[in-house]
Amino acid sequence: MYVAVKGGETAILNAGTLLAQARRGDPAVSEVSVAQIAGQLRLGVARVMAEGSLYDEELAALALKQAAGDQVEAIFLLRAYRTTLPRFGYSQPLDTARMAVRRRISATFKELPGGQVLGPTYDYTQRLLDFSLLAGGEAPVVAEAAQPLPEHLPRGIDLLGEEGLIEPELPPPGDPAPADLSREPLSFPAGRATRLQNLARGDEGFLLALGYSTQRGYSHTHPFAGEIRMGEVALEVVPEELGFAIQIGEITVTECQMVNQFAGSSTTPPQFTRGYGLAFGEAERKTMAMALVDRALRCAELGEEPAAPAQQAEFVLSHSDNVEAGGFVQHLKLPHYVDFQSELELVRRMRAAIASAQPAQEQTA
Amino acid sequence: MTQLCDPAQRRHWLGVLAQASPVELEQHLARRALPALHWLRRPETGLMMVRGRAGGTGAQFNLGEVSVTRCAVQDDAGRLGVGYVRGRVGRHAELVALFDLLLQDDIQRADLLPALIEPLAARQRAARATAGAQAAATRVEFFTLARGD
Amino acid sequence: MNAPLLPGFAQPEDHAQRVFRLLLDALARPGRVQTLPFEFAAPAPLAPATGAAALALLDYETPVWLQSADSAPWLRFHAGCPLVDDPARARFALIDDAGAMPPLSAFAQGEPEYPDRSATLLIQVAGFAPHASTERGPTLRGPIWSGPGIADEVRLGVVGLPDGFWRDWQRNAGHFPLGVDLLLVAGAQVVGLPRTTTVREA
């Protein structure tokens, strides 16, 4: 129970000013611009967009600036802002097969059509601090191959599909519109569309820990990274006044197709199963973790016993959102004076009761 | 309605215009005479929910929202120019709508396609090719070392 | 080439909010005539208040049943609402000829767990007669409205409803909490008639 407490107004106003000063830092150092954040801290911006569930680099960068780099706070700011905008409708489903690929790798096929394209990755860096960045350097000269990549790289995982070695992934009859968590509250059992939407905006740290738990034996899914691709996809919408799809721009996304083991049954010959991850921006770790958790959450449909935390949809989906989680954990900061007073009274009374009973016990002993 | 033009052609130019920089479009517009027109919908910014598919090809799901700005302009003949762009730049949406309106006129279109749309499309293709060539330079060329036996 | 489309609200946010407020008031105070606070032109056959209510209430998530398709391009452009042929699938219905409208039971009645998943009907009528008009004789004395939002009772005649309409309305009340809600429109005037309101013919 909370009680309205008055008297904090001046303190709150002054705390706000102090916060603004702390955010700005040393005025002798030039202020960071939103364009600099969007351009030079792009992975931080990508996470704010993915978990803020709003693709807008400038707004995400602004949120990061305002939050002094606190990602969860920036995500909260972006989520709050989106509620002020009208919803125009839904996009056409993204066609990731037609992605303008900047990175595409597979851990299952060395020689896949189009090859292993490393792109801008930290994978082969030595994780040594680069002190030259302290000085600020010149823009690097980037190598260009004589031939660009083909406009559309085939999916590595389709090689398995051609032989029927992996479960097919087809739209259900009629290709129905999916449930939308931003319009209807989460309820259980949650379908895969709901789960994927929840995971796509779920906290990266939470998903990473859960994904890791599946690898350490808390659910047995034996994953391989079938394909990871990152690049730009066309964003298409069908305006009601036109009646046909038009491209209104493009967005950067990362996609991870996890290939998992499956034993098969008397009716189904042995076949690999899938886990899927997709997120706004460059978000490789996030989409890999998402794909692991997606696969773990499919346990019921694949006839597996839901024994591990990552397999329990109610546990995973109810705790994945860092705006919700942050709000409930941090509400403990709000005044609970009356609650606590009553507990205090109770403890004092119990202690008094025990103390008065003590001498009697000693006598009878 | 507004579909007297070939939808495939209109789809093409709307896509090219949405990907162009507002500065380029503004410069080109300054050289054009506009018919009498009125704004049926002033630029407004809102959200579209972006959808993906499970496994890339399966059932649809909602990925997250994207900021979109749209507007519409109409001339006295009832032609409707529409502008839809990702992001929050109202002027960009206006420029797309104005060119969409002009492009629906046969005479204007004969001039605008080669003078504006095709050069923009060529530049957008070139930018994609550059990014594709940079990515291709990071492709691993596997070779097997000969063993010493 | 089609005739040019009429514009939407001159001040989209302000006007949409004022109309929404007006509709809330209409449903909170059934039987009381509310008047659109600004000039508005809607395409025929929609009355100004029907058009304004449509722009304030409809969007891509509200399937709409149109009695007459003439306003379809305007609604599709400004509201982006899907249009449906089956009245039972519509969340809103725009009725310009009350004499030829389907029975109220043809529209979505809601579900026992979600009575709100029902249709709201905007029905255009010829006019309202708020006070018993003695000069016009006893036929226009007007029915008596009562229920939540009405202190005691109120008399309001509605001109232009078909014969048997109030009996249909009684049947609607018989399904409570299911049923439809109505907004009666005459020109720039709106009267709310939610399912909780009882109307007795005097």
Side-chain angles (χ1 to χ4, degrees), chain C residues 4-143:
Chain C
L5 286 176
L6 286 173
F9 289 134
Q11 297 158 44
E13 280 164 36
D14 180 58
H15 285 180
Q17 286 178 10
R18 284 161 74 186
V19 173
F20 193 78
R21 177 79 218 184
L22 176 125
L23 299 173
L24 282 181
D25 286 343
L27 288 170
R29 300 269 178 262
R32 190 180 292 182
V33 178
Q34 312 283 342
T35 304
L36 199 62
F38 52 86
E39 292 281 311
F40 186 68
L46 301 186
T50 313
L55 294 199
L57 295 176
L58 308 182
D59 69 8
Y60 68 100
E61 285 184 316
T62 54
V64 174
W65 183 82
L66 282 184
Q67 190 183 29
S68 130
D70 297 357
S71 59
W74 184 81
L75 282 172
R76 208 180 281 125
F77 176 79
H78 287 293
C81 53
L83 302 175
V84 294
D85 294 329
D86 178 5
R89 287 189 49 222
R91 297 303 300 271
F92 288 92
L94 306 191
I95 291 154
D96 54 88
D97 179 2
M101 67 179 281
L104 298 176
S105 59
F107 295 92
Q109 307 287 305
E111 302 155 31
E113 291 99 345
Y114 300 97
D116 55 306
R117 291 181 184 169
S118 57
T120 300
L121 280 54
L122 286 94
I123 303 176
Q124 292 184 184
V125 297
F128 302 110
H131 302 293
S133 164
T134 47
E135 59 190 277
R136 280 169 167 179
T139 52
L140 270 182
R141 253 188 342 204

Side-chain angles (χ1 to χ4, degrees), chain A residues 46-108:
Chain A
R47 181 171 173 196
V48 173
M49 294 197 300
E51 295 172 32
S53 204
L54 173 57
Y55 196 106
D56 188 309
E57 300 96 329
E58 190 186 48
L59 291 178
L62 172 63
L64 265 179
K65 177 174 175 172
Q66 187 178 333
D70 179 341
Q71 296 222 308
V72 176
E73 182 71 22
I75 288 159
F76 189 0
L77 288 170
L78 205 58
R79 288 267 189 99
Y81 180 78
R82 71 160 280 283
T83 65
T84 67
L85 295 176
R87 171 82 74 83
F88 294 157
Y90 294 89
S91 83
Q92 297 292 96
L94 298 178
D95 187 354
T96 51
R98 299 176 65 82
M99 179 187 289
V101 162
R102 284 193 287 135
R103 169 167 169 79
R104 193 283 296 267
I105 55 161
S106 169
T108 49

Side-chain angles (χ1 to χ4, degrees), chain B residues 26 43 59 76 101 104 110 113 117 135:
Chain B
E26 197 78 76
D76 293 339
L101 186 73
Q104 290 173 57
L113 285 180
I117 300 299

Side-chain angles (χ1 to χ4, degrees), chain B residues 4-5 7 12 19 21-22 26 31 34 38 44 61 66 72 81 98 119 125 127 130-131 133 136 144-145 149:
Chain B
L4 295 178
C5 300
H12 171 65
Q19 295 275 87
S21 91
E26 197 78 76
R31 304 202 290 271
L34 289 173
H38 65 275
E44 55 176 356
F61 70 97
V66 61
L98 289 169
R125 276 195 301 274
T130 301
T144 310
L145 291 174
D149 54 5

